[in-house]
Amino acid sequence: MSEITLFNKIHSVVENIKKIPKEEKILIISHYDADGIASGSIILKSLFELGYFPHIRIVNQLDHEVISEIKSLDYNYIVFSDMGSGQKTLIESIKEKNIFIIDHHQPESPELENEINPHYFGFDGGKDISSSGLAYLLAKEIDEKNVHLSQIAIVGALGDLQDKGEKNSLIGLNEKISQDAEKSGLLKKKLGLKLHGFESRPIIQCLANTIEPYLPGLTGNEGACLKFIKNLGIEPKKPDGSWKTVSDLSNEEIRLLVSGLIKYLISLGFSSKEAEKIIGTVYIFPNESKDSPLYDAREFSSSINACGRMNKYGLGISICLGDRDKALSELKQVLHEYRQKLSYYIDWLNSHNNSIKILSHVQAVFGEDIIDEKMIGPLISMLYGGKPFSLDKPIIGFSKSKNFVKVSARATIELVNKGINLGLLIKEAAKKFNGIGGGHSIAAGAQIPIGKEEEFLEYLNKLIEESQVIKPETRITN
Ligand code: C5P
Ligand code: C5P
């Protein structure tokens, strides 16, 4: 692992950026999830501060369509952010343009002159640093003043669930970035419940508002949260009738809440290790107002993720760039609609049992053209732990779009530790059906032709069965 060589590479890429004539048009292309929007915003801001007027385009993925669009546009400089390293063959067809890549996904060879990817330097792009972290290091190399963008780098890393250290902390280069933020007074860390707004909101609201982790039966349902709190023996209101926040709870009430939540999650089928992850390192941005969805870095990250999934890219970018006031009220509306959309999908699935299929080694949701292709990923992540799904096999989601079927796949950390690599499995299965796919061991995705969902699933089931990673005797039954 070499930080020095990574920093040398960043230095040489920055030198090349500075050689771009100021009148040149630069196009940044980034991914729609939290890390994509955050990294694209950091690059946009730092190029702007260097005197350029870059444009940004957020896309679902880097495919032939995006490449032909780039070909037809009048930009000589293209910056791929959170994508590109794994699509070198595609990019080859626009090699007459000046290409820059800032990406943390597994790269295809060869390494390009203007490509920043941690894997070439011995870092793991799944947990040591995300695209936003790389974009931040680039921004800091451009100008030390850009240290304030460390917060956005943390938002991106948390969006890609890179808090893989002890007590859900950031590790590797992400941890170094969090130290930059702490030193500048932009970050506070503490151990606590990873509920959105745990520090500041009424308990009922913070249970109902928490999307990641999704609390089956509680997220989005304040009535159910009130009942849950009362059943634990906690009085939710203060004597003056106002709602209690965590600072109003006694130590005994906090203990009841923590153990009650863990027991509840275990009763849903979570392993105790997974359930205990409800407690972890909480990252706070003290410069944000306490009641804002941007105060807790995980909630900030879920908010940007929601903007991306709800096609509100401009809003996500402007919030990362520092817009508040009007942008914040718009964000609250987007978050409300995002939660509503997810609960609509869950209700739809509950009344369409034939949209769920459980095989020996995989389980699946067929979202047809009801579930949006951008929502299928977060939806299946949430379904883990709820009936009839179990935690002992990957969960695959299908969503039909105009020309193809979008596949999303998620595993648990326990399955990954046993040897499941969804990125490789999905890539292989997609290839078999003339599709494209890939991703990480724990989260992957693909595009396959319409009508091939069942065959794809059977094939994936066979691949996992043959790999013998999930053995029948080690399976936990619900
Ligand atoms: O393309 P990219 O790597 O940025 O996307 C990773 C996606 O996988 C994110 O949307 C993230 O939320 C999801 N993920 C997940 N579970 C994990 C790690 C990542 O659902 N443990
Ligand atoms: O779209 P979703 O959130 O399910 O994506 C999970 C992971 O799979 C992301 O890292 C994404 O970049 C990757 N993916 C991919 N090829 C696709 C779709 C998703 O590599 N066709």
Side-chain angles (χ1 to χ4, degrees):
M1 203 161 1
S2 171
E3 236 171 83
I4 296 174
T5 46
L6 171 65
F7 280 87
N8 285 343
K9 181 72 193 247
I10 293 173
H11 177 76
S12 93
V13 173
V14 168
E15 287 307 302
N16 287 340
I17 290 177
K18 287 180 177 164
K19 286 180 199 150
I20 305 175
K22 291 287 182 291
E23 65 281 5
E24 275 293 349
K25 285 172 75 185
I26 305 177
L27 178 63
I28 303 163
I29 302 202
S30 199
H31 194 212
Y32 66 77
D33 72 359
D35 190 35
I37 292 183
S39 55
S41 305
I42 295 175
I43 298 168
L44 185 77
K45 184 143 189 167
S46 33
L47 290 183
F48 186 74
E49 281 169 4
L50 265 182
Y52 298 101
F53 291 94
H55 293 167
I56 184 163
R57 194 112 147 65
I58 300 292
V59 299
N60 290 3
Q61 63 176 1
L62 184 48
D63 55 16
H64 290 288
E65 218 175 298
V66 173
I67 293 289
S68 0
E69 200 184 332
I70 295 174
K71 275 186 188 162
S72 71
L73 296 171
D74 178 29
Y75 292 91
N76 286 326
Y77 291 83
I78 311 291
V79 184
F80 289 109
S81 135
D82 200 31
M83 55 177 62
S85 285
Q87 295 92 359
K88 299 268 169 66
T89 329
L90 267 178
I91 288 177
E92 181 65 19
S93 68
I94 47 165
K95 62 172 186 273
E96 68 283 1
K97 310 253 182 200
N98 298 285
I99 305 291
F100 290 77
I101 299 178
I102 293 143
D103 190 9
H104 69 132
H105 290 95
Q106 285 286 348
E108 278 177 7
S109 299
E111 183 186 1
L112 304 185
E113 184 189 353
N114 287 317
E115 177 181 11
I116 301 175
N117 188 306
H119 290 276
Y120 293 122
F121 305 96
F123 293 102
D124 181 345
K127 52 180 195 248
D128 290 327
I129 191 158
S130 69
S131 297
S132 309
L134 295 168
Y136 166 72
L137 296 180
L138 178 111
K140 220 175 99 180
E141 175 67 27
I142 289 175
D143 191 337
E144 274 287 328
K145 278 205 309 260
N146 283 331
V147 72
H148 67 98
L149 294 170
S150 52
Q151 288 187 324
I152 307 303
I154 292 165
V155 165
L158 292 173
D160 264 7
L161 311 183
Q162 295 207 335
D163 48 349
K164 297 279 194 287
E166 227 175 278
K167 308 222 169 7
N168 286 97
S169 58
L170 293 169
I171 49 174
L173 293 166
N174 281 325
E175 164 59 12
K176 297 215 159 145
I177 296 172
S178 83
Q179 286 169 8
D180 272 6
E182 266 185 303
K183 275 186 228 142
S184 316
L186 295 168
L187 178 70
K188 278 196 187 139
K189 288 187 225 168
K190 45 177 86 168
L191 211 59
L193 270 173
K194 289 173 5 202
L195 298 180
H196 291 177
F198 185 59
E199 284 281 308
S200 49
R201 301 229 178 90
I203 312 294
I204 309 292
Q205 252 186 40
C206 77
L207 280 172
N209 280 352
T210 299
I211 312 174
E212 284 156 29
Y214 190 78
L215 307 169
L218 297 177
T219 297
N221 188 342
E222 287 195 13
C225 296
L226 179 61
K227 222 164 124 193
F228 177 78
I229 292 287
K230 283 191 163 168
N231 284 344
L232 291 178
I234 301 172
E235 173 48 50
K237 284 189 179 173
K238 290 193 271 191
D240 68 3
S242 60
W243 295 101
K244 280 185 185 171
T245 66
V246 69
S247 52
D248 303 312
L249 297 184
S250 65
N251 286 343
E252 175 57 12
E253 282 176 321
I254 292 182
R255 198 194 58 74
L256 278 175
L257 178 61
V258 172
S259 66
L261 266 173
I262 293 177
K263 276 189 204 144
Y264 175 67
L265 291 174
I266 291 175
S267 77
L268 294 174
F270 282 74
S271 66
S272 53
K273 214 168 133 207
E274 275 297 303
E276 279 163 15
K277 284 198 185 141
I278 191 82
I279 312 161
T281 313
V282 178
Y283 292 89
I284 299 292
F285 294 153
N287 56 317
E288 301 290 346
S289 132
K290 267 196 158 188
D291 60 352
S292 156
L294 312 178
Y295 181 65
D296 179 321
R298 278 195 186 80
E299 194 176 359
F300 193 145
S301 171
S302 301
S303 305
I304 302 302
N305 190 35
C307 289
R309 312 261 172 195
M310 300 290 285
N311 300 318
K312 302 280 184 191
Y313 311 135
L315 178 63
I317 293 169
S318 68
I319 286 178
C320 288
L321 294 180
D323 268 7
R324 296 295 180 261
D325 300 335
K326 222 174 126 223
L328 261 184
S329 49
E330 216 182 304
L331 175 68
K332 285 178 188 159
Q333 184 59 27
V334 171
L335 278 169
H336 175 69
E337 286 167 16
Y338 179 68
R339 283 191 201 100
Q340 270 189 334
K341 205 163 174 179
L342 286 169
S343 32
Y344 169 77
Y345 290 150
I346 290 172
D347 289 347
W348 180 81
L349 272 178
N350 285 337
S351 57
H352 290 78
N353 284 342
N354 54 357
S355 294
I356 295 172
K357 198 161 180 179
I358 314 277
L359 301 188
S360 58
H361 292 74
V362 281
Q363 44 198 349
V365 168
F366 292 84
E368 302 171 25
D369 48 9
I370 303 289
I371 298 173
D372 189 303
E373 61 167 295
K374 287 197 188 123
M375 301 287 283
I376 190 77
L379 181 71
I380 58 171
S381 301
M382 284 171 191
L383 293 172
Y384 253 146
K387 300 251 181 291
F389 301 98
S390 60
L391 293 161
D392 62 334
K393 26 188 159 176
I395 181 161
I396 316 295
F398 297 98
S399 156
K400 215 179 275 178
S401 76
K402 216 164 64 199
N403 303 316
F404 57 83
V405 170
K406 165 73 201 296
V407 183
S408 275
R410 299 288 187 267
T412 60
I413 190 74
E414 278 91 356
L415 284 171
V416 171
N417 290 341
K418 281 184 190 167
I420 285 275
N421 185 333
L422 284 180
L424 295 180
L425 288 162
I426 293 288
K427 189 172 190 152
E428 185 177 342
K431 213 163 139 196
K432 163 120 180 134
F433 296 98
N434 297 321
I436 47 165
H440 310 278
S441 30
I442 200 157
Q447 281 185 359
I448 58 167
I450 293 174
K452 291 290 176 195
E453 299 91 312
E454 298 270 357
E455 282 175 71
F456 177 92
L457 192 66
E458 293 285 349
Y459 184 66
L460 198 62
N461 195 53
K462 193 170 116 255
L463 284 181
I464 300 175
E465 184 169 14
E466 284 169 1
S467 74
Q468 297 206 335
V469 168
I470 306 176
K471 298 196 179 72
E473 67 272 21
T474 62
R475 258 185 261 142
I476 314 148
T477 42
N478 265 348

